[in-house]
Amino acid sequence: MTTLVVGGAGYIGSHVVRLLIERGEEVVVVDDLSTGFAERTRGADLVTLDVTRPDASEKIAFHLRASGADSVIHFAAHKQVGESVQRPEMYWHDNIGGLANVLSACENAGVRDVVFSSSAAVYGVPDVDLVTEELAPSPINPYGETKFVGEWMLADAERAHDMRTVALRYFNVAGAGWPELADTQVMNLVPIVLEALARGAAPIVFGDDYDTPDGTCIRDYVHVVDLAEAHIAALDYLRGDERPHRVFNVGTGTGSSVLEVLDAISRATGEQITPEIGPRRAGDPARLVCSNERIRETLGWKSTKTLDDIVASAVAARRGTPAGS
Ligand code: WQD
């Protein structure tokens, strides 16, 4: 089997590429290397290409045919919520345009199976304990909107062409499976805190007056290797016959507060952490935790790693050592 992975030199994409190669599949990575690194794609063929360009669809179709690919996983996208509010046109143009180019290339080359990176950001600020896929999406920023519209585009492509698609809605992804594949961007809680500690600065907690047990926001942190395994399960699902669903949450189903994450980081680093309590960040739901019943029951996927595993692997990656060593 051959899979073309768009955005396969990025943080999550490169973990999926590594797992595909480990199980003996052929992989072609298409990536513009704007935030990804060629070194992360070892074992795959790398095509350096910006999929948002007008001629990208034809080029992707060429590589799909040349490699004999039978499936595509699409990661490439901008993913910063704050930036999406500042530069909505870029998010719509690149996230939606890039996906359109990839889907039309699939149609052109006769590739049927597509897995798409969606996000918990499609849910906005849901007021429920566990978010199920049945909850109507209601994104509150352009980033989440582009992910939701991307899911619509997949559904339309399925109806129009002989395609089969899965959208995976990621919750809060962190950790590293291999040090060299670690998240090098400092945009989310775990890398932000590790970077602050490395500078000798106090991490900032965005509000401790939420209606949660310790007053800080609760999220569903999922290990990047568990998330990567979900993509493999999704590919297997598309290749099979039974297909009752096309959208899946990917998370552990367990919530951790910001202070609990800081405690885990303290355990992993051996450093005592005294955070600064800052104001709330606009748009933060108090709690965002998924029900993962659908993916467990339909894809047979389950998370295997705890918050301590996630944090320990992120800390080990910063030190350049495999987790656990
Ligand atoms: C986690 C928690 C913050 C930084 C984002 C996207 C979402 C999805 C996952 C991709 C929150 C708190 C953070 C800090 C803090 N992405 N925090 N101090 O916002 O839950 O989700 O990533 O699809 O769409 O929005 O992640 O890592 O920014 O924050 O207290 O310095 O940590 O308030 O409760 P978020 P995050």
Side-chain angles (χ1 to χ4, degrees), residues 45-233:
D45 287 337
L46 174 63
V47 176
T48 308
L49 174 67
D50 173 356
V51 297
T52 68
R53 293 179 57 88
D55 58 352
S57 178
E58 267 172 43
K59 289 187 173 161
I60 300 163
F62 169 82
H63 290 288
L64 287 170
R65 283 204 194 84
S67 64
D70 37 50
S71 48
V72 166
I73 309 180
H74 182 65
F75 292 98
H78 301 294
K79 57 171 184 178
Q80 295 184 52
V81 170
E83 182 186 56
S84 81
V85 175
Q86 305 298 321
R87 304 182 65 188
E89 301 81 5
M90 180 177 88
Y91 273 69
W92 282 90
H93 181 273
D94 293 354
N95 289 6
I96 299 300
L99 177 62
N101 282 339
V102 168
L103 289 176
S104 61
C106 290
E107 199 247 324
N108 181 340
V111 171
R112 189 191 68 171
D113 299 344
V114 178
V115 179
F116 173 62
S117 303
S118 187
S119 169
V122 302
Y123 293 115
V125 189
D127 188 17
V128 292
D129 259 10
L130 293 180
V131 178
T132 67
E133 294 86 347
E134 266 94 41
L135 191 78
S138 183
I140 59 159
N141 51 60
Y143 168 68
E145 288 165 1
T146 63
K147 289 297 176 182
F148 188 36
V149 168
E151 292 183 3
W152 280 1
M153 203 193 307
L154 292 188
D156 290 343
E158 280 210 23
R159 276 188 289 270
H161 319 302
D162 183 24
M163 289 177 78
R164 301 161 63 125
T165 68
V166 158
L168 298 177
R169 292 177 176 165
Y170 309 163
F171 280 66
N172 289 62
V173 187
W178 294 268
E180 68 274 21
L181 305 188
D183 190 3
T184 52
Q185 294 179 295
V186 184
M187 290 180 339
N188 294 106
L189 179 63
V190 173
I192 288 173
V193 172
L194 292 180
E195 200 263 341
L197 294 178
R199 278 189 288 115
I204 299 168
V205 173
F206 295 153
D208 69 349
D209 57 352
Y210 285 93
D211 185 16
T212 60
D214 67 19
T216 67
C217 288
I218 294 176
R219 296 287 181 275
D220 186 330
Y221 295 90
V222 57
H223 195 295
V224 66
V225 171
D226 279 336
L227 174 66
E229 295 280 6
H231 293 75
I232 308 290

Side-chain angles (χ1 to χ4, degrees), residues 9-11 14 18 35-42 180-182 184:
Y11 166 51
S14 64
R18 187 67 62 96
T35 55
F37 301 102
E39 308 80 77
R40 284 179 175 161
T41 65
R42 207 178 61 222
E180 68 274 21
L181 305 188
T184 52

